[in-house]
Amino acid sequence: MSAPEGKEMTIEIPMEEGEPLGATPNDKMIVTKVQAGTVSEGKLKIGDQILRVNDTVIKDTHHFFALLRFAPPCARLAIFRDEKKAEELASRVHIPADRERNITRRDGFSYELVKMTWKAGGPKLGLGIKHFQNRVLVSKTDPASISAECLKIGDHIVDINGQPVTDKDVARGILVKGLQAHGEVTMVIERPETMEAKHWTSRALTVQAVQPPSVQMNSDVRDIAQKERARLAAKVGKYTSQELKSILGGQKKAAAVAIDDRQFGHVIASDNEGKNLRAVKK
């Protein structure tokens, strides 16, 4: 087995207390974003793997940011840099402006432009997707499939060939047609990186397809609706099957139309039943 390309090096970053680093690592401590105008610009590169902070080995991202709090006046970062892999990652995270417009960026997620290629007689697609809150999420990638080469479970497919997708059936149709016609498609994906983002994605993948309303009714509204359902059910029970016969099966003769200008009102229910209304000042 050949040794991995790249080398370990130490980067010194002067920083003041409370000053943000401006670099975002994923759960493997690989830098996925360097913000312009911050202390990391010109020091760290996308693809750098951060190993230690001031000689302390990093356990995870939470530990890393905790160490940074005590790093000023200088954060001495031991990193592993592979120039070739860094270039590949940089090309993926650089998203053209016309497709950047399709993204609503969220904290805890990284964004990449990935390419999927297909050849007749080659590996299968092997992709499972579902939609949740207008997002198309990857729920399965079969081993040795073309999906497994570029996608991970939990990825949010933002667009396919520049076309935003929010429905799994529409997304699958665009994906399959693109692969059959051109042998490749490109996708902008949103990938969870932090523990909070991964927890959100895990919950989204396990939620049932049929969900309760996103806006719950107030208790008084629910009480009124329950009383009205009970009243209607009791009223329906008084009719015979003949009386409940559908109007679609009634007389075929066209009925005359008469317009009545009178106005009628009927109170179904109210939320002040059993209570006295308070007088208000005029």
Side-chain angles (χ1 to χ4, degrees), residues 33 95 99-111 133-135 156-159 164-166 188-191 200:
K33 181 181 179 182
I95 299 173
R99 301 182 72 167
E100 180 71 35
R101 290 194 293 266
N102 299 329
I103 300 174
T104 302
R105 290 184 177 266
R106 299 188 290 168
D107 291 338
F109 293 82
S110 63
Y111 298 83
Q133 295 182 350
N134 291 329
R135 291 180 172 90
H156 163 210
I157 302 176
V158 178
D159 77 22
V165 290
T166 58
V188 172
I189 63 165
E190 177 186 66
R191 179 167 292 166
W200 182 92

Side-chain angles (χ1 to χ4, degrees), residues 56-255:
T56 300
V57 177
I58 301 168
K59 298 177 182 178
D60 52 37
T61 53
H62 293 288
H63 185 221
F64 169 64
F65 287 110
L67 291 173
L68 283 179
R69 292 173 55 192
F70 303 98
C74 182
R76 192 171 62 256
L77 306 182
I79 66 169
F80 184 83
R81 178 172 293 172
D82 185 329
E83 296 288 356
K84 184 176 180 181
K85 287 186 177 180
E87 290 177 3
E88 293 175 355
L89 180 57
S91 66
R92 294 204 306 269
V93 300
H94 174 71
I95 299 173
D98 60 327
R99 301 182 72 167
E100 180 71 35
R101 290 194 293 266
N102 299 329
I103 300 174
T104 302
R105 290 184 177 266
R106 299 188 290 168
D107 291 338
F109 293 82
S110 63
Y111 298 83
E112 297 183 16
L113 181 65
V114 301
K115 179 186 291 186
M116 178 182 290
T117 58
W118 172 82
K119 293 181 179 179
K124 62 180 181 179
L125 177 60
L127 177 65
I129 52 178
K130 67 174 293 184
H131 48 233
F132 175 77
Q133 295 182 350
N134 291 329
R135 291 180 172 90
V136 177
L137 303 177
V138 176
S139 57
K140 183 183 70 171
T141 57
D142 291 339
S145 66
I146 60 175
S147 296
E149 295 176 358
C150 59
L151 297 173
K152 295 182 179 180
I153 293 176
D155 283 351
H156 163 210
I157 302 176
V158 178
D159 77 22
I160 302 174
N161 287 343
Q163 183 172 345
V165 290
T166 58
D167 179 87
K168 66 176 183 178
D169 297 322
V170 172
R172 184 176 293 278
I174 298 173
L175 186 63
V176 171
K177 288 180 180 178
L179 291 174
Q180 290 176 341
H182 308 290
E184 67 178 37
V185 297
T186 58
M187 294 174 283
V188 172
I189 63 165
E190 177 186 66
R191 179 167 292 166
E193 298 290 355
T194 64
M195 293 299 296
E196 292 81 1
K198 290 180 179 180
H199 175 73
W200 182 92
T201 302
S202 176
R203 183 177 64 85
L205 289 174
T206 55
V207 75
Q208 296 296 322
V210 179
Q211 304 174 55
S214 58
V215 178
Q216 295 291 337
M217 293 186 295
N218 291 332
S219 58
D220 57 340
V221 178
R222 292 198 300 269
D223 291 340
I224 292 173
Q226 186 176 2
K227 290 178 182 178
E228 187 62 15
R229 283 195 297 268
R231 186 186 70 80
L232 291 175
K235 189 173 182 179
V236 170
K238 297 178 182 179
Y239 292 110
T240 65
S241 59
Q242 183 63 28
E243 290 172 322
L244 291 174
K245 186 176 180 181
S246 171
I247 60 172
L248 296 177
Q251 298 178 353
K252 295 182 180 180
K253 182 179 179 181

